[in-house]
Amino acid sequence: MTSLAAAPRRATHAPAHRLTFARLLRSETIKILTLRSTWWSLGITAVLSLGISFLLALAANDNGGGFAPATLLTAPIQFTMLVAGIFGAIVITGEYSTGMIRSTLTAEPRRGVVLLAKAVVVSTVMAVATALTYLLASAVTAPLVSAGMDWSDPSGSIIPLALGVASMIAFSLIGLGFGFLVRNGAGAIAATVGVLFVLPVVVSLFAFAGERWQWLLDSAQYLPMNAAAQLTTPGATDLAGPAIALTAWALVPVLLGWAALRTRDA
């Protein structure tokens, strides 16, 4: 009797699991929120904001006014911008220092998607933290300010506060972009601090250089810190220039970081 060999079965492979963008966002959120450095950064930002707003409210109360209520909340941004930028930088440089970036890119090989997910999560975390800080600062300063916030006037309340949130997001994205570009914590922080703090100081020194250097002083209004100051001034009307400048400052480092991420090994 001739036995017939069983016909080989065609191998059936389950389709490869594709990491969706929503799951990538969830993964990045978990990674960022489980870092102690994240909570230190957000905590320092909140303490600085509340402390400075409270002191300004005391000063305004002693002098019979002088600060718009919204200004009391947004003025600390001149200091907290550094913490926001450093937060954005260490989010990614920490992954490079531990080697976790290789696991991230293995799970999601599309590097631009990885950068976008990190940018979305960093922006969301910073936006929520800043909005909550403004809410707390408003409660802390309200008893010290005779004229409370006039919410019926968006130009003196909602608009400067919303632009303050947007400015903090921009600062964190500047740090994130330098983090992807430099890949080293100290280097990324140095570059971020240089752009946000050192560069305005250097430009201001040219005030003693005469009219020949006036163009440099005029360009200082488009630096990140000065652009944010203009955007968060209650009642300001000419917002297009500062908004474009701050957006460009946020996008350029991120785009350069994206180019570096695409062309260099992890």
Side-chain angles (χ1 to χ4, degrees), residues 37-131:
S37 58
T38 295
W39 296 105
W40 273 107
S41 299
L42 299 180
I44 291 172
T45 300
V47 169
L48 280 175
S49 295
L50 293 174
I52 295 172
S53 294
F54 179 73
L55 292 176
L56 289 177
L58 282 178
N61 189 35
D62 291 342
N63 293 326
F67 288 102
T71 301
L72 296 175
L73 309 185
T74 60
I77 203 172
Q78 301 180 48
F79 304 94
T80 57
M81 65 176 183
L82 294 176
V83 186
I86 292 171
F87 164 66
I90 62 180
V91 161
I92 181 59
T93 57
E95 286 203 36
Y96 277 105
S97 64
T98 60
M100 185 180 289
I101 188 64
R102 290 190 288 271
S103 299
T104 300
L105 296 179
T106 299
E108 177 50 86
R110 297 174 297 175
R111 300 189 172 198
V113 176
V114 171
L115 186 148
L116 178 61
K118 288 187 180 295
V120 169
V121 174
V122 166
S123 299
T124 303
V125 170
M126 183 54 63
V128 172
T130 305

Side-chain angles (χ1 to χ4, degrees), residues 11-31:
T12 57
H13 299 284
H17 178 72
R18 189 181 186 88
L19 184 63
T20 64
F21 189 68
R23 289 181 179 271
L24 183 59
L25 286 177
R26 180 173 180 270
S27 173
E28 292 298 332
T29 301
I30 293 173
K31 282 194 292 186

Side-chain angles (χ1 to χ4, degrees), residues 138-253:
S138 178
V140 168
T141 59
L144 301 175
V145 181
S146 56
M149 187 85 71
D150 183 9
W151 296 104
S152 63
D153 179 19
S155 65
S157 57
I158 297 176
I159 292 178
L161 294 180
L163 291 175
V165 173
S167 297
M168 290 294 283
I169 293 174
F171 299 142
S172 63
L173 291 179
I174 290 173
L176 182 68
F178 280 126
F180 272 107
L181 186 62
V182 181
R183 301 186 175 191
N184 175 270
I189 291 173
T192 303
V193 173
V195 168
L196 296 181
F197 181 74
V198 178
L199 189 57
V201 174
V202 172
V203 172
S204 67
L205 296 177
F206 285 84
F208 306 98
E211 295 183 359
R212 181 179 177 184
W213 296 95
Q214 185 61 39
W215 63 272
L216 187 59
L217 296 175
D218 294 339
S219 66
Q221 63 181 314
Y222 300 110
L223 294 176
M225 181 182 73
N226 296 335
Q230 296 175 66
L231 290 174
T232 56
T233 300
T237 55
D238 187 14
L239 301 178
I244 293 173
L246 191 58
T247 301
W249 277 106
L251 287 180
V252 169

